[in-house]
């Protein structure tokens, strides 16, 4: 909970529902990373997490994308509104 | 050599391919343009649906139109996408001409993602028409797509459309009728980090694989992102030299730490970003997704989601088993009437018996399932066109991942409750080849409707008439379905841990927005499926019926007094006696053996086969005489044959054994080898035998 400007990266699965973030880094295998990028979910894309815990729905560029928890764990995002700033 | 269509104007019917992301409205547009002039089949070697139609230009000239499977990228991840890629690249010229011109359809409300595929296609250097569909949704989302600007920047015709209301159709037809479609200006700089590799691979493709220059460049770019190199049967392979160069570069980049695929995808998205910035105006109006979200909040909910899915499945099964009853009776009455008519019209003899007992009875016995199959496809069509199916797969993913599969296996398994064949065909959307194979292997465990008549007969035979409460019958029926389902999941779990080991795939899928279903499209899809099913009944099943008839009829004996004796010494009877030692420990005798063998045509044939074996005059709709005969049947030593235990064991055998030639044929075509269908015969029937042995022997020991 230090400085909101340099807020650390979170895996997408830990982003709280309703908040926005930006994709910074993709982990996992090459094929997975490529698929995610090709779906328009690559680095520096803005995402909004809509809902979900075990399976996750998020909004990317006007479409809803559903991911399993394991997939969401591979996508590192920087929250646009860190939880500390009310 | 394929020249652009405008060069050989008028000499040959132009070939158009329709390409786009899944759910962009491709099929709607294709149906509107080609109407009923469609030919639906399969790409040889893979069970990917091949749809080709004929449209007419403004001047009445016929044009061939191919509706390719939906794809997000030319870097294929599923057999569906591989077919799209290979047709476009002219790698399937054995069965499908390389299209001269390409119509790219994009969803206007999600241009950026949709343009990714277009960007890859523009590399091909062939004439392209861009259709920006779903303009109504784009409007609603506050997006103004300036098609004029897009046209200028890309140098190709761009058409705004709303396919579901027929808007833009005329404009598209006009553009397709143009003899001189321009080539796109697609000056796009390959990122420096990989450009020399692209050049080298391109040169090798031209020299060693005889590709025309532009295709070679496009293919070179593609090879860098086509990570798993998915090849489907019927597609031409890469030359060794080119493959070696490609591997060399990949090794080098891995050592240097260059993420070549990421670089390439990123560069494309950058170019698209610039394009979209110029051509799309966004207003501040926020996208109204509240309705979709409200529905999603319920149907993906941890509890309500399951409740909704359970409700829909219940409705589906109730409809399959109740609504279909009357039409099934009509078909049954129709076949009986037809057979009687033929009997009256033709002189008695082997040929008449072949027609009535072989052809009409055999094909009619399978046709009877048409109503159920139509109802199933009606449900699947409705669920797909409303957008719910993706949600069902989404919530099923939680359950499926426990056994190592993902949500996409749900639809094939669901379809298999009607018939394993459409179920196995539906596995083509599963990306991971191992998951696909596991789904194919376990799909036949789902109790298909062909087992239903056997269950019904056995339940009736098992429980003495009269005082049986309905609940017991229903309970037994549910038990059979539950056993099959548990078996499917259990074996999937086992296979994913042993034979086809692999990480559970990371599921990522698009959830399309909810839409009002278009009854016309659903009806058309049902008609397509029905057509495919009828074709199958008219070919494979017809042939098998004739063979089976011959096996139960020949060799003729001179002194057979009644049909039962005739059957007993026929080839089928001999086969039944041959397998009796194997099935006797399960409590089955050779007469049941004949039923088991004939079930290979279709499981429900068991009922008609036992009628023949026990010499019952087949009486339409009335199984009472057959039931009596079953109760009277004994072993040579006088023990009753169809004890409740044997009836139950027989039902269990039907749940698990692989007994369907048509399914085996589809699995063979799907997996491209006899290995997997034979494996299915072995493990399913082996398991069925073992389980039945345990049940029968334990049951006997306990005094049942
Ligand atoms: N709102 C809207 N819906 C459309 C339009 N075009 C097609 N649809 C609907 O989008 C859904 C998917 O269309 P389909 O043709 O099956 O897409 P495909 O997967 O690309 O073949 C169907 O429910 C269509 O009725 C359109 O222009 N506007
Ligand atoms: Mg379609």
């Amino acid at each position: 909970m230090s400085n909101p400007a340099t807020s650390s990266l979170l895996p997408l699965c830990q982003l709280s529902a309703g908040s926005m973030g930006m994709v910074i880094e993709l982990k996992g295998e090459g094929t997975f990373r490529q698929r995610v990028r090709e779906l328009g979910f690559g680095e520096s894309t803005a995402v909004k997490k809509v809902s979900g815990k075990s399976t996750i729905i998020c909004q990317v560029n006007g479409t809803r994308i559903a991911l399993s928890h394991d997939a969401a764990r591979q996508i590192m995002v920087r929250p646009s509104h860190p939880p500390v700033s009310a | 050599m394929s020249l652009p269509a405008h060069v050989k104007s008028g000499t040959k019917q132009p070939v158009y391919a329709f390409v786009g992301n899944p759910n962009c409205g491709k099929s709607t547009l294709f149906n509107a343009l080609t109407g009923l002039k469609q030919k639906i089949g399969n790409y040889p070697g893979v069970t990917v649906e091949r749809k080709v139609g004929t449209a007419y230009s403004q001047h009445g000239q016929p044009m061939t139109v191919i509706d390719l499977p939906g794809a997000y990228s030319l870097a294929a991840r599923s057999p569906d996408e591989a077919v799209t890629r290979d047709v476009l690249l002219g790698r399937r010229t054995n069965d499908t001409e390389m299209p001269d011109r390409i119509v790219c359809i994009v969803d206007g409300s999600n241009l950026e993602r949709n343009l990714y595929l277009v960007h890859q296609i523009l590399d091909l250097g062939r004439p392209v028409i861009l259709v920006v569909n779903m303009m109504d949704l784009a409007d609603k989302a506050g997006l103004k797509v300036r098609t004029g600007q897009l046209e200028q920047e890309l140098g190709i015709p761009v058409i705004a459309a709303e396919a579901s209301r027929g808007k833009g159709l005329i404009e598209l037809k006009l553009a397709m009728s143009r003899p001189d479609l321009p080539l796109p200006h697609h000056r796009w700089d390959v990122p420096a980090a990989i450009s020399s590799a692209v050049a080298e691979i391109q040169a090798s493709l031209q020299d060693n694989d005889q590709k025309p220059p532009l295709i070679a460049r496009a293919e070179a770019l593609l090879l860098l992102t086509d990570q798993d190199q998915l090849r489907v049967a019927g597609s031409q392979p890469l030359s060794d030299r080119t493959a070696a160069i490609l591997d060399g570069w990949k090794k080098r980049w891995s050592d240097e730490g260059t993420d070549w695929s990421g670089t390439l995808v990123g560069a494309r998205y950058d170019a698209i970003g610039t394009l979209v910035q110029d051509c799309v105006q966004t207003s501040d109006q926020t996208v109204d997704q509240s309705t979709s979200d409200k529905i999603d909040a319920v149907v993906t909910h941890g509890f309500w989601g399951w409740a909704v899915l359970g409700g829909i499945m219940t409705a589906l099964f109730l409809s399959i088993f109740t609504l279909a009853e009357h039409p099934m009776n009509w078909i049954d009455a129709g076949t009986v009437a037809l057979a009687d008519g033929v009997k009256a019209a033709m002189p008695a003899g082997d040929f008449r018996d072949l027609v009535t007992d072989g052809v009409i009875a055999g094909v009619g016995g399978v046709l009877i399932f048409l109503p159920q199959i139509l109802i199933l496809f009606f449900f699947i069509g409705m669920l797909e066109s409303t957008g719910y199916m993706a949600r069902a797969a989404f919530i099923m993913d939680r359950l499926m991942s426990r056994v190592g599969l993902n949500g996409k296996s749900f639809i094939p398994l669901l379809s298999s409750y009607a018939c394993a064949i459409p179920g196995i065909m539906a596995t083509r959307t599963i990306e991971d080849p191992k998951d696909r194979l596991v789904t194919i292997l376990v799909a036949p465990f789902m109790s298909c409707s062909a087992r239903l008549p056997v269950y019904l007969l056995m339940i009736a035979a098992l429980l003495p008439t009269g005082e049986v409460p309905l609940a017991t019958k229903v309970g037994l029926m549910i038990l059979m379905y539950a056993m099959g389902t548990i078996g499917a999941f259990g074996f999937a779990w086992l296979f994913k841990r042993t034979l086809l080991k692999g990480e559970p795939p990371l599921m990522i899928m698009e959830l399309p927005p909810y839409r009002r279903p278009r009854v016309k499209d659903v009806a058309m899809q049902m008609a397509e499926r029905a057509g495919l099913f009828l074709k199958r009944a008219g070919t494979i099943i017809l042939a098998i019926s004739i063979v089976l008839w011959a096996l139960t009829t020949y060799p003729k004996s001179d002194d057979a007094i009644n049909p039962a004796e005739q059957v007993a010494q026929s080839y089928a009877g001999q086969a039944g006696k041959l397998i009796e030692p194997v099935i006797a420990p399960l409590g089955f005798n050779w007469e049941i053996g004949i039923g088991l063998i004939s079930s290979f045509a279709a499981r429900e044939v068991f009922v008609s086969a036992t009628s023949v074996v026990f010499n019952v005059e087949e009486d339409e709709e009335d199984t009472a005489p057959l039931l009596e005969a079953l109760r009277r049947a004994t072993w040579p030593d006088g023990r009753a044959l169809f004890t409740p235990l044997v009836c139950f064991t027989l039902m269990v055998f039907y749940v698990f054994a692989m007994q369907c030639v048509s399914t085996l044929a589809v699995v063979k075509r799907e997996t491209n080898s006899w290995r997997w269908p034979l494996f299915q015969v072995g493990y399913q029937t082996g398991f069925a035998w073992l389980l039945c042995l345990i049940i029968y022997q334990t049951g006997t020991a306990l005094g049942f």
Side-chain angles (χ1 to χ4, degrees), chain B residues 1-203:
Chain B
M1 266 293 43
S2 172
L3 297 166
H6 57 272
V7 179
K8 37 178 176 180
S9 61
T11 53
K12 177 190 138 267
Q13 193 163 321
V15 180
Y16 280 91
F18 276 30
V19 207
N21 285 185
N23 280 305
C24 65
K26 234 171 342 84
S27 300
T28 312
L29 209 57
F30 176 79
N31 290 343
L33 267 183
T34 59
L36 292 173
K37 299 212 68 137
Q38 301 184 4
K39 248 172 73 189
I40 296 146
N42 275 308
Y43 288 92
V46 265
T47 320
V48 172
E49 206 165 66
R50 182 173 188 271
K51 280 171 122 182
V52 181
T54 305
Y56 292 91
S57 74
Q58 287 307 110
H59 324 291
Q61 232 61 277
M63 308 181 280
T64 307
V65 186
I66 308 173
D67 185 14
L68 289 173
Y72 290 112
S73 161
L74 288 184
R77 290 287 303 271
S78 65
D80 257 12
E81 290 189 333
V83 164
T84 297
R85 174 198 66 195
D86 293 342
V87 170
L88 288 175
L89 289 174
R91 287 187 192 163
R92 296 193 69 93
T93 40
N94 296 335
D95 53 70
T96 309
E97 260 185 285
M98 179 153 93
D100 309 302
R101 298 165 159 202
I102 302 165
V103 178
C104 286
I105 295 119
V106 294
D107 173 353
S109 65
N110 186 10
L111 260 187
E112 236 166 321
R113 218 266 325 281
N114 278 257
L115 282 175
Y116 180 79
L117 177 68
V118 177
H119 198 265
Q120 291 179 317
I121 286 171
L122 290 176
D123 283 345
L124 299 174
R126 254 172 293 161
V128 173
I129 299 171
L130 183 65
V131 177
V132 183
N133 195 27
M134 312 250 174
M135 287 301 270
D136 54 324
L137 296 182
D139 273 350
K140 261 197 213 142
L143 301 170
K144 269 220 158 42
V145 183
R146 299 188 346 226
T147 46
Q149 183 74 21
L150 263 175
E151 198 158 275
Q152 220 166 35
E153 302 222 359
L154 297 173
I156 55 171
V158 178
I159 291 153
E162 196 187 325
S164 51
R165 297 213 187 153
K167 285 192 201 167
L169 261 183
I170 302 202
E171 290 84 347
L172 174 60
K173 232 178 182 176
L174 268 173
M176 287 170 69
S177 310
R178 281 172 61 174
D180 59 331
L181 275 183
L183 292 174
H185 1 116
H186 185 48
R187 278 176 235 100
W188 167 67
D189 294 323
V190 177
I194 56 173
S195 59
S196 35
V198 172
E200 194 182 335
I201 298 168
Q202 178 184 352

Side-chain angles (χ1 to χ4, degrees), chain B residues 613-627:
Chain B
V613 173
F614 292 106
N615 188 23
V616 183
E617 267 306 307
E618 264 198 274
D619 191 3
E620 58 205 73
E621 269 325 286
D622 193 3
T623 50
L626 177 55
L627 280 179

Side-chain angles (χ1 to χ4, degrees), chain B residues 293-312:
Chain B
D293 277 349
K294 270 180 207 149
I295 302 175
D296 272 344
V298 177
V299 302
T300 64
H301 185 268
F303 172 75
W304 292 114
W306 289 107
V308 170
L309 183 63
I312 292 175

